[in-house]
Each structure stands twice: as C-alpha cells, then as structure tokens.
Tab-separated table of all heavy atoms in Angstrom:
chain	number	residue	atom	x	y	z
E	1	SER	N	0.798	-1.166	-0.063
E	1	SER	CA	0.000	-0.030	-0.012
E	1	SER	C	0.782	1.316	-0.017
E	1	SER	O	0.512	2.298	-0.653
E	1	SER	CB	-0.956	0.036	1.266
E	1	SER	OG	-0.121	-0.019	2.344
E	2	LEU	N	1.929	1.228	0.709
E	2	LEU	CA	2.906	2.444	0.684
E	2	LEU	C	3.554	2.649	-0.725
E	2	LEU	O	3.571	3.857	-1.053
E	2	LEU	CB	3.990	2.218	1.761
E	2	LEU	CG	4.983	3.367	1.860
E	2	LEU	CD1	4.348	4.720	2.182
E	2	LEU	CD2	6.012	3.017	2.982
E	3	VAL	N	3.921	1.656	-1.253
E	3	VAL	CA	4.485	1.750	-2.743
E	3	VAL	C	3.494	2.252	-3.607
E	3	VAL	O	3.871	3.156	-4.390
E	3	VAL	CB	4.991	0.373	-3.239
E	3	VAL	CG1	5.299	0.394	-4.630
E	3	VAL	CG2	6.185	-0.009	-2.377
E	4	ILE	N	2.229	1.831	-3.570
E	4	ILE	CA	1.138	2.340	-4.561
E	4	ILE	C	0.852	3.806	-4.080
E	4	ILE	O	0.670	4.626	-5.021
E	4	ILE	CB	-0.001	1.491	-4.444
E	4	ILE	CG1	0.341	0.005	-4.881
E	4	ILE	CG2	-1.158	2.067	-5.244
E	4	ILE	CD1	-0.958	-0.970	-4.841
E	5	ALA	N	0.882	4.071	-2.712
E	5	ALA	CA	0.572	5.541	-2.299
E	5	ALA	C	1.626	6.474	-2.835
E	5	ALA	O	1.317	7.498	-3.226
E	5	ALA	CB	0.502	5.486	-0.846
E	6	LEU	N	2.953	5.947	-2.858
E	6	LEU	CA	3.992	6.849	-3.296
E	6	LEU	C	3.810	7.061	-4.887
E	6	LEU	O	4.098	8.157	-5.283
E	6	LEU	CB	5.296	6.202	-3.020
E	6	LEU	CG	5.655	6.164	-1.606
E	6	LEU	CD1	7.030	5.282	-1.453
E	6	LEU	CD2	6.029	7.639	-1.188
E	7	ALA	N	3.284	6.032	-5.606
E	7	ALA	CA	3.156	6.228	-6.980
E	7	ALA	C	1.849	7.122	-7.276
E	7	ALA	O	1.901	7.835	-8.410
E	7	ALA	CB	2.873	4.852	-7.682
E	8	LEU	N	0.973	7.163	-6.432
E	8	LEU	CA	-0.232	7.948	-6.597
E	8	LEU	C	-0.074	9.250	-5.970
E	8	LEU	O	-1.010	10.153	-6.033
E	8	LEU	CB	-1.594	7.289	-6.047
E	8	LEU	CG	-1.941	5.979	-6.701
E	8	LEU	CD1	-3.133	5.348	-5.972
E	8	LEU	CD2	-2.296	6.287	-8.164
E	9	ARG	N	0.973	9.539	-5.310
E	9	ARG	CA	1.204	10.862	-4.700
E	9	ARG	C	1.086	12.081	-5.520
E	9	ARG	O	0.514	13.081	-5.199
E	9	ARG	CB	2.559	10.851	-3.844
E	9	ARG	CG	2.698	12.142	-3.058
E	9	ARG	CD	4.017	12.006	-2.123
E	9	ARG	NE	4.204	13.052	-1.291
E	9	ARG	CZ	4.811	14.130	-1.545
E	9	ARG	NH1	5.370	14.327	-2.815
E	9	ARG	NH2	4.955	15.132	-0.706
E	10	LYS	N	1.716	11.916	-6.629
E	10	LYS	CA	1.634	13.081	-7.665
E	10	LYS	C	0.341	13.016	-8.398
E	10	LYS	O	-0.305	11.879	-8.640
E	10	LYS	CB	2.814	12.929	-8.652
E	10	LYS	CG	4.121	13.096	-8.114
E	10	LYS	CD	5.209	13.046	-9.121
E	10	LYS	CE	6.639	13.124	-8.580
E	10	LYS	NZ	7.667	13.166	-9.597
E	11	ALA	N	-0.187	14.247	-8.626
E	11	ALA	CA	-1.565	14.331	-9.233
E	11	ALA	C	-1.493	13.847	-10.671
E	11	ALA	O	-0.670	14.385	-11.494
E	11	ALA	CB	-2.048	15.676	-9.163
E	12	THR	N	-2.429	12.990	-10.972
E	12	THR	CA	-2.406	12.555	-12.468
E	12	THR	C	-3.986	12.589	-12.749
E	12	THR	O	-4.839	12.532	-11.826
E	12	THR	CB	-1.901	11.020	-12.559
E	12	THR	OG1	-2.786	10.123	-11.590
E	12	THR	CG2	-0.575	10.995	-12.065
E	13	PRO	N	-4.322	12.473	-14.071
E	13	PRO	CA	-5.620	12.613	-14.419
E	13	PRO	C	-6.570	11.433	-14.038
E	13	PRO	O	-7.783	11.580	-13.859
E	13	PRO	CB	-5.550	12.463	-16.012
E	13	PRO	CG	-4.276	12.960	-16.362
E	13	PRO	CD	-3.435	12.548	-15.223
E	14	PHE	N	-5.833	10.182	-13.642
E	14	PHE	CA	-6.734	9.126	-13.227
E	14	PHE	C	-6.526	8.779	-11.776
E	14	PHE	O	-6.844	7.774	-11.461
E	14	PHE	CB	-6.178	7.762	-14.025
E	14	PHE	CG	-6.236	7.909	-15.460
E	14	PHE	CD1	-5.196	8.203	-16.299
E	14	PHE	CD2	-7.569	7.901	-16.142
E	14	PHE	CE1	-5.298	8.415	-17.655
E	14	PHE	CE2	-7.667	7.975	-17.454
E	14	PHE	CZ	-6.575	8.325	-18.219
E	15	ARG	N	-5.921	9.715	-11.026
E	15	ARG	CA	-5.663	9.548	-9.540
E	15	ARG	C	-7.001	9.290	-8.742
E	15	ARG	O	-7.154	8.410	-8.012
E	15	ARG	CB	-4.939	10.745	-8.961
E	15	ARG	CG	-4.756	10.576	-7.500
E	15	ARG	CD	-3.982	11.783	-6.932
E	15	ARG	NE	-3.724	11.637	-5.569
E	15	ARG	CZ	-3.263	12.619	-4.748
E	15	ARG	NH1	-2.906	13.682	-5.245
E	15	ARG	NH2	-3.055	12.428	-3.420
E	16	ARG	N	-8.022	10.197	-9.070
E	16	ARG	CA	-9.304	9.976	-8.393
E	16	ARG	C	-9.970	8.656	-8.634
E	16	ARG	O	-10.482	8.011	-7.802
E	16	ARG	CB	-10.088	11.186	-8.578
E	16	ARG	CG	-11.402	11.083	-7.934
E	16	ARG	CD	-12.225	12.465	-8.054
E	16	ARG	NE	-11.562	13.602	-7.463
E	16	ARG	CZ	-12.000	14.866	-7.566
E	16	ARG	NH1	-13.162	15.065	-8.125
E	16	ARG	NH2	-11.333	15.784	-6.990
E	17	LEU	N	-9.951	8.399	-10.006
E	17	LEU	CA	-10.678	7.181	-10.385
E	17	LEU	C	-9.773	5.931	-9.832
E	17	LEU	O	-10.583	5.063	-9.482
E	17	LEU	CB	-10.533	7.043	-12.075
E	17	LEU	CG	-11.141	5.808	-12.645
E	17	LEU	CD1	-12.568	5.714	-12.363
E	17	LEU	CD2	-10.920	5.890	-14.164
E	18	MET	N	-8.556	5.916	-9.793
E	18	MET	CA	-7.769	4.866	-9.163
E	18	MET	C	-8.153	4.633	-7.713
E	18	MET	O	-8.228	3.532	-7.149
E	18	MET	CB	-6.232	4.933	-9.469
E	18	MET	CG	-5.887	4.848	-10.899
E	18	MET	SD	-4.125	5.028	-11.116
E	18	MET	CE	-3.605	3.503	-10.368
E	19	LYS	N	-8.208	5.707	-6.950
E	19	LYS	CA	-8.511	5.704	-5.544
E	19	LYS	C	-9.907	5.141	-5.284
E	19	LYS	O	-10.032	4.278	-4.506
E	19	LYS	CB	-8.376	7.091	-4.891
E	19	LYS	CG	-6.994	7.674	-4.761
E	19	LYS	CD	-6.975	9.122	-4.321
E	19	LYS	CE	-7.615	9.307	-3.015
E	19	LYS	NZ	-7.499	10.744	-2.619
E	20	THR	N	-10.908	5.473	-6.169
E	20	THR	CA	-12.174	4.935	-6.115
E	20	THR	C	-12.200	3.449	-6.377
E	20	THR	O	-12.718	2.628	-5.607
E	20	THR	CB	-13.179	5.650	-7.085
E	20	THR	OG1	-13.160	7.115	-6.756
E	20	THR	CG2	-14.546	5.064	-6.894
E	21	ALA	N	-11.456	3.050	-7.442
E	21	ALA	CA	-11.372	1.570	-7.804
E	21	ALA	C	-10.746	0.785	-6.637
E	21	ALA	O	-11.205	-0.301	-6.284
E	21	ALA	CB	-10.580	1.502	-8.998
E	22	LEU	N	-9.747	1.317	-5.952
E	22	LEU	CA	-9.024	0.701	-4.956
E	22	LEU	C	-9.816	0.542	-3.769
E	22	LEU	O	-9.761	-0.386	-2.882
E	22	LEU	CB	-7.779	1.336	-4.585
E	22	LEU	CG	-6.599	1.180	-5.535
E	22	LEU	CD1	-5.458	2.174	-5.342
E	22	LEU	CD2	-6.099	-0.200	-5.695
E	23	LEU	N	-10.727	1.367	-3.404
E	23	LEU	CA	-11.606	1.360	-2.278
E	23	LEU	C	-12.960	0.502	-2.471
E	23	LEU	O	-13.513	0.179	-1.565
E	23	LEU	CB	-12.101	2.916	-1.916
E	23	LEU	CG	-11.148	3.652	-1.133
E	23	LEU	CD1	-11.523	5.178	-1.065
E	23	LEU	CD2	-10.735	3.066	0.148
E	24	LEU	N	-13.227	0.156	-3.729
E	24	LEU	CA	-14.399	-0.562	-4.016
E	24	LEU	C	-14.472	-1.878	-3.201
E	24	LEU	O	-15.484	-2.289	-2.760
E	24	LEU	CB	-14.586	-0.810	-5.523
E	24	LEU	CG	-15.128	0.416	-6.330
E	24	LEU	CD1	-15.272	0.034	-7.763
E	24	LEU	CD2	-16.512	0.709	-5.741
E	25	PRO	N	-13.371	-2.734	-3.180
E	25	PRO	CA	-13.416	-3.981	-2.587
E	25	PRO	C	-13.829	-3.834	-1.118
E	25	PRO	O	-14.423	-4.685	-0.488
E	25	PRO	CB	-11.901	-4.503	-2.638
E	25	PRO	CG	-11.369	-3.812	-3.818
E	25	PRO	CD	-12.031	-2.423	-3.834
E	26	LEU	N	-13.442	-2.786	-0.374
E	26	LEU	CA	-13.901	-2.546	0.961
E	26	LEU	C	-15.373	-2.313	1.104
E	26	LEU	O	-15.966	-2.625	2.161
E	26	LEU	CB	-13.081	-1.372	1.501
E	26	LEU	CG	-13.258	-1.112	3.071
E	26	LEU	CD1	-12.470	-2.267	3.866
E	26	LEU	CD2	-12.500	0.112	3.543
E	27	ALA	N	-16.060	-1.811	0.039
E	27	ALA	CA	-17.430	-1.445	0.187
E	27	ALA	C	-18.163	-2.766	-0.295
E	27	ALA	O	-19.477	-2.769	-0.130
E	27	ALA	CB	-17.795	-0.368	-0.786
E	28	ILE	N	-17.650	-3.795	-0.787
E	28	ILE	CA	-18.368	-4.978	-1.132
E	28	ILE	C	-18.825	-5.717	0.112
E	28	ILE	O	-18.137	-5.907	1.086
E	28	ILE	CB	-17.428	-5.867	-2.026
E	28	ILE	CG1	-17.160	-5.299	-3.265
E	28	ILE	CG2	-18.106	-7.160	-2.266
E	28	ILE	CD1	-16.171	-6.043	-4.162
E	29	PRO	N	-20.090	-6.138	0.197
E	29	PRO	CA	-20.536	-6.817	1.400
E	29	PRO	C	-19.776	-8.197	1.624
E	29	PRO	O	-19.307	-8.762	0.740
E	29	PRO	CB	-22.071	-7.212	1.146
E	29	PRO	CG	-22.413	-6.079	0.039
E	29	PRO	CD	-21.203	-5.826	-0.795
E	30	VAL	N	-19.763	-8.569	2.857
E	30	VAL	CA	-19.041	-9.791	3.219
E	30	VAL	C	-19.552	-11.069	2.396
E	30	VAL	O	-18.810	-11.831	1.971
E	30	VAL	CB	-19.152	-10.086	4.773
E	30	VAL	CG1	-18.386	-11.282	5.028
E	30	VAL	CG2	-18.517	-8.814	5.481
E	31	PHE	N	-20.852	-11.111	2.422
E	31	PHE	CA	-21.478	-12.397	1.722
E	31	PHE	C	-21.005	-12.283	0.172
E	31	PHE	O	-20.667	-13.414	-0.322
E	31	PHE	CB	-22.922	-12.321	1.806
E	31	PHE	CG	-23.602	-13.358	0.994
E	31	PHE	CD1	-23.648	-14.692	1.601
E	31	PHE	CD2	-24.221	-13.256	-0.200
E	31	PHE	CE1	-24.264	-15.738	0.961
E	31	PHE	CE2	-24.760	-14.268	-0.853
E	31	PHE	CZ	-24.889	-15.435	-0.256
E	32	THR	N	-20.989	-11.215	-0.458
E	32	THR	CA	-20.580	-11.047	-1.881
E	32	THR	C	-19.128	-11.456	-2.059
E	32	THR	O	-18.732	-12.067	-2.941
E	32	THR	CB	-20.771	-9.647	-2.343
E	32	THR	OG1	-22.235	-9.308	-2.229
E	32	THR	CG2	-20.486	-9.584	-3.822
E	33	ALA	N	-18.228	-10.951	-1.011
E	33	ALA	CA	-16.769	-11.273	-1.019
E	33	ALA	C	-16.746	-12.922	-1.003
E	33	ALA	O	-15.754	-13.427	-1.728
E	33	ALA	CB	-16.042	-10.645	0.007
E	34	ALA	N	-17.465	-13.513	-0.091
E	34	ALA	CA	-17.322	-15.002	0.138
E	34	ALA	C	-17.766	-15.594	-1.165
E	34	ALA	O	-17.150	-16.573	-1.600
E	34	ALA	CB	-18.198	-15.329	1.375
E	35	LEU	N	-18.806	-15.249	-1.730
E	35	LEU	CA	-19.446	-15.612	-3.075
E	35	LEU	C	-18.300	-15.575	-4.062
E	35	LEU	O	-18.114	-16.484	-4.941
E	35	LEU	CB	-20.663	-15.002	-3.434
E	35	LEU	CG	-21.406	-15.544	-4.691
E	35	LEU	CD1	-21.843	-16.992	-4.361
E	35	LEU	CD2	-22.572	-14.594	-5.088
E	36	LEU	N	-17.617	-14.517	-4.182
E	36	LEU	CA	-16.566	-14.327	-5.177
E	36	LEU	C	-15.475	-15.313	-4.979
E	36	LEU	O	-14.861	-15.898	-5.868
E	36	LEU	CB	-16.039	-12.889	-5.103
E	36	LEU	CG	-16.931	-11.722	-5.735
E	36	LEU	CD1	-16.367	-10.380	-5.512
E	36	LEU	CD2	-17.204	-11.977	-7.235
E	37	ILE	N	-15.145	-15.584	-3.671
E	37	ILE	CA	-14.095	-16.550	-3.389
E	37	ILE	C	-14.578	-17.946	-3.856
E	37	ILE	O	-13.762	-18.659	-4.511
E	37	ILE	CB	-13.792	-16.678	-1.882
E	37	ILE	CG1	-13.110	-15.287	-1.397
E	37	ILE	CG2	-12.891	-17.746	-1.585
E	37	ILE	CD1	-12.856	-15.147	0.024
E	38	ASN	N	-15.701	-18.283	-3.635
E	38	ASN	CA	-16.297	-19.629	-4.067
E	38	ASN	C	-16.332	-19.721	-5.491
E	38	ASN	O	-15.937	-20.715	-6.138
E	38	ASN	CB	-17.725	-19.900	-3.445
E	38	ASN	CG	-17.726	-20.425	-2.107
E	38	ASN	OD1	-16.749	-21.344	-1.886
E	38	ASN	ND2	-18.588	-20.147	-1.242
E	39	VAL	N	-16.751	-18.747	-6.200
E	39	VAL	CA	-16.895	-18.711	-7.725
E	39	VAL	C	-15.557	-18.780	-8.301
E	39	VAL	O	-15.349	-19.500	-9.246
E	39	VAL	CB	-17.602	-17.524	-8.131
E	39	VAL	CG1	-17.562	-17.335	-9.698
E	39	VAL	CG2	-19.070	-17.580	-7.829
E	40	THR	N	-14.509	-18.168	-7.704
E	40	THR	CA	-13.106	-18.148	-8.280
E	40	THR	C	-12.377	-19.394	-7.889
E	40	THR	O	-11.720	-20.033	-8.850
E	40	THR	CB	-12.352	-16.807	-7.825
E	40	THR	OG1	-13.185	-15.703	-8.054
E	40	THR	CG2	-11.102	-16.764	-8.421
E	41	PHE	N	-12.456	-19.818	-6.670
E	41	PHE	CA	-11.571	-20.918	-6.278
E	41	PHE	C	-12.194	-22.283	-6.000
E	41	PHE	O	-11.566	-23.100	-5.395
E	41	PHE	CB	-10.835	-20.435	-4.938
E	41	PHE	CG	-9.896	-19.211	-5.286
E	41	PHE	CD1	-10.290	-17.959	-4.761
E	41	PHE	CD2	-8.704	-19.337	-5.894
E	41	PHE	CE1	-9.521	-16.840	-4.925
E	41	PHE	CE2	-7.868	-18.217	-6.156
E	41	PHE	CZ	-8.323	-17.035	-5.631
E	42	ASP	N	-13.384	-22.432	-6.394
E	42	ASP	CA	-14.130	-23.677	-6.210
E	42	ASP	C	-13.357	-24.641	-7.196
E	42	ASP	O	-12.651	-24.341	-8.126
E	42	ASP	CB	-15.618	-23.584	-6.563
E	42	ASP	CG	-16.292	-24.838	-6.276
E	42	ASP	OD1	-16.356	-25.212	-5.078
E	42	ASP	OD2	-16.771	-25.570	-7.245
C-alpha cells in the first residue's frame, strides 16, 4: 500500500478514479466477497 501510495502521490488525471477503484473492494458486502471466493476458487 505504501508503494502504491507513493506512485499515486503526484496528481494524475486518473488519480481519483484509481483511488475509487481501490476502495471498491472494501465496500463489497461480506457475503458477496465470500461468494466471489467460491466462484473463483471452487
């Protein structure tokens, strides 16, 4: 996370979009995350 934060430290056109994309997994419900694990690694 520190390496990626250092790469995103400078303002870029896609910085806000990348921050939003990186935060999306945290917003996924627990049941959905467990379902994704089953679908992927079954």
Side-chain angles (χ1 to χ4, degrees):
S1 60
L2 180 57
V3 169
I4 297 176
L6 288 171
L8 293 177
R9 186 174 184 269
K10 295 183 179 180
T12 61
F14 302 102
R15 179 183 176 182
R16 182 172 298 179
L17 179 62
M18 292 183 66
K19 288 171 63 177
T20 303
L22 290 168
L23 283 173
L24 278 178
L26 191 64
I28 294 177
V30 177
F31 178 79
T32 305
L35 183 61
L36 287 174
I37 294 175
N38 273 324
V39 170
T40 305
F41 296 104
D42 188 69

